[in-house]
């Protein structure tokens, strides 16, 4: 079987995070074309951006359980997921949507259970499962946000992919104005604490949250790259295993 | 915790099975109002009717794996699911969609794995999970149809509900022109073999398939009722535990 690759594309790449449900349709098309050029063996996870985040804030999902908030937040992110799936289909791929609200159970904000069997079978059959940041049920809080980053981290531990690539709207992990070519496990906590949230509304922790997920991943021995998916060509290069952005090195 | 009830509403109740994607919007509204009157503790499963079945036939999903067929069949049933969820919301319930393509893995057409944790948490929190007949990934066939009836049977074994009610467009199990008030486990195989498919296009086995699922359920000790959900008031009565249609008696 083809080696599995996990690609995350951030919400700030696919949407204008400062404006409600504002998808960058041309960017979605461009990214879909890059993915179509990379062959089978891919799990795609995308962020929610200005779909979902606004609703999660409006219904204060981080603070309280709100049935209407669960439905409206989910519906919003599904609208973005529909656009991504349609973009991939038009580019000649065989995408299928996978919704965390249907398949993920959280415990205090962390994934407690997730059915990955269908996702593996999709990849095996040449389909591209397309997951997204979502609201999911939570044993402690009733419901909570599960970020695309946490999904990537969980999937990576479950399926041991050959490549884990996180496409963001920045060039990688930046320290003192420079992109770090590599971050070792020991550096991650220090860097995470220095990093603030990403631009616009974000209920999932921004770059700090991302680094904490990658720390988890690195602890499990899985290396990943953080790169700029807004720059044409980098998704293809990342999926081919080329060094782009910052390499986050897992335990050897 | 409130006792869990599982209600299936057949595709022939919600749609005109002879015409492509033809939803009976007024019926959906009427059924949503009946469900809203029945309080919390409900898992709803609906059939695909003329959403999905036509696509499954067109792409010959029963015979071969077709990536486009998987996506288009799923999209079609999700359109019906959206209408059901919206009907419930308008009637004052707190529905959330749950898609089997995301959470169910089949093996030669039977459910091999399914994440039910989120569904249980939804019920516990007063939400109504709304599942539907769908296409799902299959370890043997690549993909296959998972009927609403099979979902009901699986859920009933997993969550041991107090009430399992299957609403169809007929009055119950009919033999010699009469509705049987009760069917015992020993009778089920014989009756199933006598029953043909339901009216219109149906890729999931019609009443014969339904009875085979209920046989499974009865073997596991769970009783169920098959009744006419097109008759106003019967959903409410079935969910209150009143005797409507045909009782299929589980092992004592």
């Amino acid at each position: 079987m083809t080696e599995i690759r996990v690609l995350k594309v951030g919400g700030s790449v696919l949407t204008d995070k400062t404006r409600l449900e504002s998808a960058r349709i041309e960017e979605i098309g461009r990214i879909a074309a890059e993915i179509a050029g990379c062959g089978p063996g891919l799990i795609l996870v995308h962020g929610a951006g200005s779909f979902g985040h606004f609703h999660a804030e409006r219904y204060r999902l981080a603070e309280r359980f709100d049935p209407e908030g669960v439905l409206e937040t989910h519906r919003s992110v599904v609208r973005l997921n529909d656009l991504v799936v349609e973009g991939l289909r038009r580019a000649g791929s065989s995408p299928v949507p996978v919704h965390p609200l249907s398949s993920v159970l959280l415990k205090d904000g962390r994934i407690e259970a997730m059915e990955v069997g269908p996702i593996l079978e999709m990849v095996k059959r040449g389909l591209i499962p397309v997951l997204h940041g979502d609201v999911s049920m939570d044993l402690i809080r009733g419901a909570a946000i599960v970020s695309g980053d946490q999904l990537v981290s969980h999937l990576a531990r479950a399926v041991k992919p050959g490549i884990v690539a996180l496409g963001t709207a920045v060039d990688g992990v930046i320290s003192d104005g420079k992109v770090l070519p590599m971050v070792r496990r020991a550096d991650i906590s220090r860097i995470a604490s220095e990093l603030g949230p990403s631009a616009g509304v974000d209920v999932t922790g921004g770059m700090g949250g991302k680094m904490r997920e990658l720390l988890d991943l690195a602890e499990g021995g899985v290396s990943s790259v953080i790169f700029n998916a807004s720059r044409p060509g980098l998704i293809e290069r990342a999926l081919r295993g080329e060094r782009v952005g910052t390499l986050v090195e897992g335990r050897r």
Side-chain angles (χ1 to χ4, degrees), chain A:
Chain A
M1 180 176 171
T2 323
E3 186 179 63
I4 296 179
R5 298 163 295 177
V6 177
L7 172 66
K8 156 93 193 286
V9 181
S12 47
V13 178
L14 303 172
T15 74
D16 177 349
K17 273 196 167 182
T18 64
R19 293 172 51 218
L20 178 65
E21 298 202 353
S22 149
R24 302 189 208 268
I25 294 293
E26 279 159 32
E27 277 295 85
I28 292 174
R30 196 249 321 152
I31 288 165
E34 288 197 36
I35 289 171
C38 290
L42 180 69
I43 299 172
L44 178 63
V45 179
H46 65 80
S50 58
F51 294 73
H53 284 166
F54 277 97
H55 295 81
E57 293 255 311
R58 179 177 153 205
Y59 290 100
R60 295 161 49 204
L61 284 189
E63 296 153 49
R64 61 176 191 194
F65 177 71
D66 181 326
E68 196 180 315
V70 172
L71 180 61
E72 294 308 324
T73 302
H74 176 68
R75 278 174 158 174
S76 178
V77 295
V78 168
R79 283 190 283 273
L80 178 59
N81 184 254
D82 285 344
L83 295 174
V84 174
V85 165
E86 182 58 17
L88 287 163
R89 195 190 65 77
R90 287 190 187 178
S93 296
S94 298
V96 272
V98 174
H99 306 296
L101 178 58
S102 295
S103 61
V104 170
L105 183 64
L106 303 172
K107 186 174 180 182
D108 206 15
R110 304 297 302 173
I111 296 173
E112 173 79 3
M114 176 177 187
E115 183 53 59
V116 298
I119 294 171
L120 285 171
E121 195 61 25
M122 288 166 189
V123 176
K124 190 175 150 194
R125 296 283 179 166
L127 307 181
I128 301 178
V130 186
L131 292 85
H132 52 86
D134 201 355
V135 57
S136 285
M137 299 308 295
D138 189 299
L139 291 168
I140 309 290
R141 306 186 205 164
I145 298 295
V146 57
S147 71
D149 293 326
Q150 189 183 164
L151 291 167
V152 166
S153 162
H154 183 88
L155 284 168
R157 266 170 297 156
V159 312
K160 301 283 177 205
I163 290 170
V164 178
L166 281 88
T168 68
V170 296
D171 289 333
V173 179
I174 296 165
S175 186
D176 290 334
K178 280 189 216 158
V179 177
L180 301 176
M182 186 192 285
V183 174
R184 286 188 183 78
R185 203 165 51 81
D187 307 323
I188 295 177
S189 331
R190 182 181 49 77
I191 292 169
S193 67
E194 288 172 10
L195 295 163
S198 62
V201 175
D202 194 330
V203 293
T204 59
M207 187 61 86
K210 197 177 304 297
M211 291 302 291
R212 276 181 287 275
E213 297 301 339
L214 295 181
L215 172 62
D216 254 34
L217 209 53
E219 292 282 351
V222 181
S223 297
S224 55
V225 291
I226 304 185
F227 69 101
N228 193 336
S230 297
R231 293 194 194 275
L234 290 197
I235 287 177
E236 280 195 78
R237 289 180 54 197
L239 290 182
R240 271 196 232 108
E242 289 180 34
R243 179 77 78 88
V244 289
T246 301
L247 174 70
V248 180
E249 205 182 52
R251 194 202 302 263
R252 295 297 164 98

